[in-house]
């Protein structure tokens, strides 16, 4: 570029010395050099832009990540302050966090709510495997029902009309039932600034909510509450041959209750005592039916599907629903966004403690019944 600029200067010098304008050849040459300089400048600009992007991208990502970490840390400090003082406004030199006020208390920041939900997922396998929604309002799913009438296919006879027959659509609605979890914390811990009170409360909330959801998603409570896989709402039920024992034949029959296409992502959930009884079962060749499975973190597999333990399910007893089996994506859960928290400063003052209540709304329904089987013991 510099060489071309020097050649352009020589053209001007020659014309200036001779006190004249450019001739035709000089004008053409000048225009060619001008275009070449413009092309070089454009190339240099693109090169500098590319280098800037190359250097700036990681920096921008790091800055965004740092901002995210800083915001989460800020919200954790704000949550700690909220628990200690019941104040919904926390101010730092850089920024402030405002907790929105909800219908039942104070709506905690999204990052805090996400930490609670992530812990619930880690603790409760059935919640992890279920089909989850996180929306306000009600969700209605249209379900095709052929229980009373089915689509028919028949041979046709010329000049004779076919009889029309089809099932009906029905709707299953996911709403939101209000539930709350109460945690009591001693004043000594709250007043100890070295104690991470926010992390403690988040973990305790998550564990309590996980236990509640696991029970409801498996067993359910009854009318006007969440529906569980083992509740009477599940029409896909297998009843064992004996009232107080589960046989290998029972387990094989349970597996075949599902269509072949739906047996790929299945799992078993049962009480620890039921798992112990099944672990003692052997096939005709003396091999244990329940096998260790190193691919699932030293868990167990039964007929090729992982086994999970839950004390929310009852042990083997006549007439009781004791095992949930199938593809748990057939269970739909709506955990409405926003977990609200109230701090009870005065209620437990005589115990030198404070209470923290977490409110949330959730609902569950068995939408794809063909994916799930409830194993029920024979009545006595």
């Amino acid at each position: 570029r510099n060489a071309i600029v020097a050649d352009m200067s020589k053209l001007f010098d020659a014309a200036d010395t001779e006190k004249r304008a450019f001739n035709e050849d000089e004008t053409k040459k000048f225009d060619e050099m001008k275009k070449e300089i413009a092309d070089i400048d454009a190339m240099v600009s693109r090169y500098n832009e590319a280098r800037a992007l190359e250097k700036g991208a990681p920096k921008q990502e790091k800055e965004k990540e740092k901002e995210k970490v800083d915001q989460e840390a800020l919200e954790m400090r704000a949550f700690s302050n909220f628990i200690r003082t019941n104040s919904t406004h926390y101010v730092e030199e850089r920024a402030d966090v405002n907790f929105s006020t909800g219908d039942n208390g104070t709506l905690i920041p999204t990052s805090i709510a996400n930490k609670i939900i992530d812990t619930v997922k880690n603790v409760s396998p059935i919640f992890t495997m279920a089909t989850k929604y996180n929306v306000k309002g009600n969700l209605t799913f249209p379900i095709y029902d052929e229980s009373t009438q089915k689509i028919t296919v028949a041979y046709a006879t010329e000049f004779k009309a076919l009889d029309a027959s089809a099932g009906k659509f029905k709707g299953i609605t996911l709403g939101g039932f209000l539930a709350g979890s109460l945690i009591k914390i001693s004043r000594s811990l709250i007043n100890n600034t070295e104690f991470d009170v926010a992390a403690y409360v988040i973990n305790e909330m998550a564990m309590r909510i996980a236990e509640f959801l696991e029970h409801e998603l498996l067993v359910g409570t009854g009318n006007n509450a969440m529906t569980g896989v083992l509740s009477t709402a599940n029409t896909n039920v297998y009843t064992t041959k004996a009232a107080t024992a589960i046989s290998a034949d029972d387990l094989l029959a349970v597996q075949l209750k599902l269509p072949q296409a739906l047996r790929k992502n299945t799992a078993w959930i049962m009480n620890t005592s039921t798992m112990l009884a099944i672990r003692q079962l052997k096939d005709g060749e003396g091999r244990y039916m329940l096998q260790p499975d190193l691919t699932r973190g030293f868990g167990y597999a039964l007929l090729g599907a992982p086994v999970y333990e839950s004390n929310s399910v009852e042990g083997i007893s006549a007439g009781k629903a004791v095992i949930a089996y199938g593809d748990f994506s057939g269970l739909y859960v709506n955990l409405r966004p926003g977990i609200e928290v109230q701090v009870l400063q005065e209620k437990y003052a005589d115990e030198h403690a404070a209470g923290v209540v977490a409110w949330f709304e959730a609902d569950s329904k068995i939408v794809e019944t063909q994916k799930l089987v409830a194993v029920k013991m024979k009545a006595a």
Side-chain angles (χ1 to χ4, degrees):
R1 184 187 188 284
N2 292 338
I4 296 170
V5 171
D7 289 341
M8 290 178 73
S9 296
K10 290 178 182 178
L11 287 177
F12 280 103
D13 290 342
D16 185 55
T17 300
E18 298 175 10
K19 306 295 183 185
R20 62 175 175 80
F22 281 169
N23 57 37
E24 184 177 346
D25 289 338
E26 289 171 333
T27 300
K28 182 180 179 181
K29 191 172 183 180
F30 175 83
D31 290 341
E32 289 175 351
M33 288 189 290
K34 181 181 177 182
K35 182 179 182 304
E36 192 171 356
I37 287 176
D39 291 341
I40 291 173
D41 287 344
M43 184 64 183
V44 171
S45 177
R46 295 188 188 100
Y47 175 79
N48 290 334
E49 186 178 354
R51 289 298 300 272
L53 290 173
E54 182 181 340
K55 292 179 179 180
K59 183 178 180 182
Q60 291 173 0
E61 291 299 324
K62 288 180 181 178
E63 288 178 352
K64 288 181 181 179
E65 186 64 28
K66 185 176 183 299
E67 288 176 2
K68 180 181 177 182
V69 171
D70 288 346
Q71 185 63 25
E72 288 181 358
L74 178 62
E75 291 183 355
M76 285 291 283
R77 287 193 289 274
F79 191 45
S80 296
N81 182 74
F82 173 54
I83 296 168
R84 288 189 167 100
T85 67
N86 203 16
S87 170
T88 59
H89 191 64
Y90 181 72
V91 181
E92 280 198 351
E93 292 180 1
R94 296 175 302 149
D96 67 310
V97 175
N98 287 290
F99 285 39
S100 303
T101 301
D103 294 335
N104 298 295
T106 300
L107 194 68
I108 68 175
T110 304
S111 65
I112 304 295
N114 289 342
K115 287 178 184 290
I116 294 173
I117 301 305
D118 288 343
T119 304
V120 172
K121 290 178 182 178
N122 293 333
V123 173
S124 178
I126 188 171
F127 181 72
T128 302
M129 294 184 288
T131 299
K132 293 176 288 295
Y133 294 91
N134 187 227
V135 298
K136 295 181 179 179
N138 294 337
L139 289 170
T140 300
F141 302 93
I143 305 299
Y144 187 67
D145 181 20
E146 289 189 340
S147 58
T148 57
Q149 186 172 270
K150 297 183 179 181
I151 294 175
T152 57
V153 178
Y155 288 106
T157 303
E158 287 185 302
F159 304 110
K160 184 177 180 181
L162 284 171
D163 291 330
S165 177
K168 296 180 180 180
F169 280 97
K170 62 180 182 180
I172 294 181
T173 300
L174 277 179
F177 296 102
L178 180 64
S181 173
L182 173 63
I183 304 165
K184 286 200 293 185
I185 316 172
S186 72
R187 278 287 170 194
S188 298
L189 285 178
I190 291 177
N191 295 332
N192 185 351
T193 56
E194 295 182 1
F195 176 69
D196 193 345
V197 66
Y200 173 80
V201 170
I202 288 171
N203 185 67
E204 286 296 310
M205 281 182 183
M207 296 300 291
R208 306 280 180 87
I209 293 173
E211 290 174 5
F212 172 82
L213 288 177
E214 183 166 297
H215 179 274
E216 296 305 296
L217 297 181
L218 283 169
V219 182
T221 301
N223 295 329
N224 297 320
M226 297 172 69
T227 301
V229 176
L230 299 177
S231 67
T232 55
N234 192 347
T235 57
N236 197 10
V237 179
Y238 173 83
T239 304
T240 60
K241 297 176 181 178
T244 57
I246 297 175
S247 67
D249 290 343
D250 285 326
L251 297 174
L252 293 171
V254 170
Q255 189 177 49
L256 293 177
K257 284 280 287 184
L258 297 189
Q260 185 176 358
L262 301 179
R263 298 177 205 154
K264 295 179 181 179
N265 300 309
T266 56
W268 305 80
I269 301 180
M270 63 189 72
N271 187 284
T272 303
S273 62
T274 305
M275 182 176 175
L276 177 60
I278 292 176
R279 192 174 181 187
Q280 297 171 4
L281 293 177
K282 297 180 181 180
D283 61 16
E285 298 180 6
R287 295 173 300 190
Y288 286 105
M289 293 195 66
L290 193 63
Q291 293 289 328
D293 188 352
L294 299 180
T295 64
R296 294 185 173 93
F298 299 96
Y300 288 88
L302 177 62
L303 300 177
V307 180
Y308 297 103
E309 302 172 55
S310 174
N311 289 327
S312 294
V313 184
E314 294 193 69
I316 295 175
S317 181
K320 300 294 185 180
V322 297
I323 298 176
Y325 170 73
D327 180 352
F328 289 89
S329 66
L331 178 68
Y332 287 23
V333 183
N334 183 27
L335 184 59
R336 286 178 174 172
I339 296 178
E340 298 179 6
V341 175
Q342 285 180 314
V343 178
L344 309 178
Q345 298 283 8
E346 303 299 330
K347 186 173 182 178
Y348 303 104
D350 57 344
E351 299 179 33
H352 195 61
V356 181
V357 184
W359 301 98
F360 62 96
E361 294 182 6
D363 193 11
S364 61
K365 292 287 190 302
I366 303 171
V367 177
E368 299 176 78
T369 309
Q370 72 276 15
K371 287 186 175 183
L372 296 163
V373 182
V375 180
K376 188 176 182 180
M377 302 301 297
K378 180 181 178 181

